[in-house]
């Protein structure tokens, strides 16, 4: 199920009648299923569909087969507590389905895959259940015993070398010490990661731990070529999310580093000259970026509280913690993607 592009109808205050109702304070994020919504609104006439109005999970669009049914539902429920919907007071207005535009189809969401192999991105791998539930619990307990550094929207910890968000680089001369012993079991498993080949002997010496609250994601970026070698491992713990990948056909628009400690999400939809792929990252899964996936595809995590995965709405957890392992680069980057390489500009 995608996100149909509904909007406010024409008329004073958007009062034009419509068979579609925008309903706020209602949806999976507040504990009300689509089935329940359809059942309650179905008392006023045939419901042809219940759609997510946005990514919040707390606003829906109820579509009736007849305009009169929508009018009856609005008159009965708008601004009044509904006992059949948990006693919540609903805020309702008419809504219309906007026609497709030259900028793209009505549903511009990208399909989310469950397996990295479905994305056809060379160098991208995903292993589910990379660590056990007990190992996950132990890793989370270990980092929670250590101090966090607060950014504007999330918390971080750095080991081995500290990552500087202003320059999106590391100071290789400022060594913080060896990686903590509590990640040794993870590093041992990484060495046996499929498809590594000769790279299995690489020494991962930098670890960034990120804690994401609900709804907080990560800006589109490519990990700095001059800062890190070609293998990047990211272990997802505690909560799920989706990660999107974008390959820009030309350099007409590329995200640039921000001077702040936490980049703002741009609006990359303003440029359609890129390929899009997305994959679901469940808790305890390990993602590997190598080759083209690491050097040429921007990756980011949308700022969502609810993710759409195979027609299902999946709520993110109370926190998501990622362990990102990298090797600090000591020689110039000589990758095959100079158009994305900061050291070759």
């Amino acid at each position: 199920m995608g996100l149909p592009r509904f909007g406010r109808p024409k008329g004073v205050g958007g009062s034009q009648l419509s068979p579609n109702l925008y309903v706020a304070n209602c949806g999976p994020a507040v504990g009300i299923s689509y089935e329940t919504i359809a059942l309650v609104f179905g008392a006023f006439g045939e419901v042809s569909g219940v759609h997510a109005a946005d990514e919040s999970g707390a606003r829906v669009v109820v579509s009736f087969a007849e305009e009169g049914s929508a009018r009856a539902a609005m008159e009965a429920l708008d601004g009044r507590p509904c006992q059949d919907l948990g006693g919540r007071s609903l805020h309702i207005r008419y809504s219309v389905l906007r026609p497709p535009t030259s900028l793209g189809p009505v549903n511009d969401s990208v399909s989310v895959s469950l397996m990295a192999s479905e994305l056809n991105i060379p160098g991208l791998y995903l292993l589910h259940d990379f660590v056990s539930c007990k190992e996950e619990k132990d890793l989370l307990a270990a980092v929670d015993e250590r101090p966090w550094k607060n950014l504007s929207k999330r918390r971080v910890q750095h080991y081995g070398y500290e990552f500087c968000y202003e320059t999106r680089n590391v100071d290789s001369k400022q060594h913080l010490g060896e990686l903590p012993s509590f990640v040794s079991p993870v590093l041992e498993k990484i060495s046996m990661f499929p498809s590594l080949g000769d790279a299995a002997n690489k020494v991962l010496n930098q670890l960034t731990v990120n804690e994401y609250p609900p709804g907080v994601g990560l800006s589109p970026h490519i990990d700095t070529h001059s800062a890190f070698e070609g293998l990047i491992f990211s272990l997802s713990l505690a909560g799920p999310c989706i990660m999107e990948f974008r390959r820009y056909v030309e350099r007409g628009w590329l995200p640039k580093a921000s001077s702040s400690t936490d980049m703002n999400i741009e609006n990359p939809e303003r440029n359609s000259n890129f390929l899009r792929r997305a994959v679901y990252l469940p808790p305890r899964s390990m993602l590997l970026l190598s080759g083209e996936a690491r050097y040429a595809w921007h990756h980011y995590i949308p700022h969502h509280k609810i993710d759409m995965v195979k027609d299902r709405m999946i709520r993110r957890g109370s926190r998501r913690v990622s362990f990102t392992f990298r090797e600090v680069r000591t020689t110039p980057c000589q990758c095959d993607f100079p158009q994305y390489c900061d050291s070759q500009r």
Side-chain angles (χ1 to χ4, degrees), residues 139-151 153-159 162 165 182 207-213 237-238 319-324:
L139 288 168
L140 293 172
V143 294
D144 283 338
E145 291 176 352
R146 302 197 174 207
W148 291 91
K149 178 180 179 180
N150 291 307
L151 301 183
K153 295 182 180 179
R154 65 183 192 274
R155 302 194 299 176
V156 300
Q157 295 180 18
H158 297 292
Y159 298 95
E162 184 165 1
Y165 293 93
F182 61 79
L207 167 63
T208 296
V209 181
N210 280 286
E211 181 192 58
Y212 299 91
L237 301 177
R319 69 192 298 213
R320 175 180 174 268
V321 179
S322 67
F323 285 56
T324 302

Side-chain angles (χ1 to χ4, degrees), residues 41-96:
F41 279 81
F44 301 94
E46 180 184 350
V47 174
S48 58
V50 178
H51 313 278
D54 51 34
E55 301 288 358
S56 70
R59 292 176 283 272
V60 300
V61 172
V62 178
S63 295
F64 285 93
E66 301 291 339
E67 181 183 285
S69 301
R71 182 171 63 252
M74 185 172 186
E75 292 174 352
L77 300 177
D78 182 34
R80 298 180 177 87
C82 179
Q83 296 305 315
D84 293 330
L85 295 176
R88 307 189 72 84
S89 293
L90 306 181
H91 306 285
I92 305 175
R93 60 173 169 80
Y94 290 113
S95 185
V96 295

Side-chain angles (χ1 to χ4, degrees), residues 246-256 266-275 296 298 339-340 345:
R246 298 185 173 192
R247 175 73 190 268
Y248 291 85
V249 179
E250 298 176 358
R251 288 181 53 81
W253 182 88
L254 293 178
K256 296 181 180 180
E266 313 88 339
N267 181 19
E269 304 302 339
R270 66 187 177 187
N271 186 308
S272 59
N273 200 21
F274 55 78
L275 304 175
H298 288 73
Q339 67 270 40
Y340 300 107
R345 293 173 193 164

Side-chain angles (χ1 to χ4, degrees), residues 154-202:
R154 65 183 192 274
R155 302 194 299 176
V156 300
Q157 295 180 18
H158 297 292
Y159 298 95
Y161 297 87
E162 184 165 1
F163 184 75
C164 179
Y165 293 93
E166 286 80 5
T167 62
R168 301 199 63 80
N169 211 324
V170 295
D171 184 352
S172 60
K173 297 180 181 179
Q174 296 294 322
H175 189 214
L176 303 178
E178 301 300 320
L179 298 190
S181 59
F182 61 79
V183 298
S184 295
V186 179
L187 293 174
E188 292 177 7
K189 288 186 178 183
I190 284 179
S191 67
M192 298 181 288
F193 205 102
S195 305
L196 284 186
D198 295 337
N201 296 323
K202 288 286 186 179

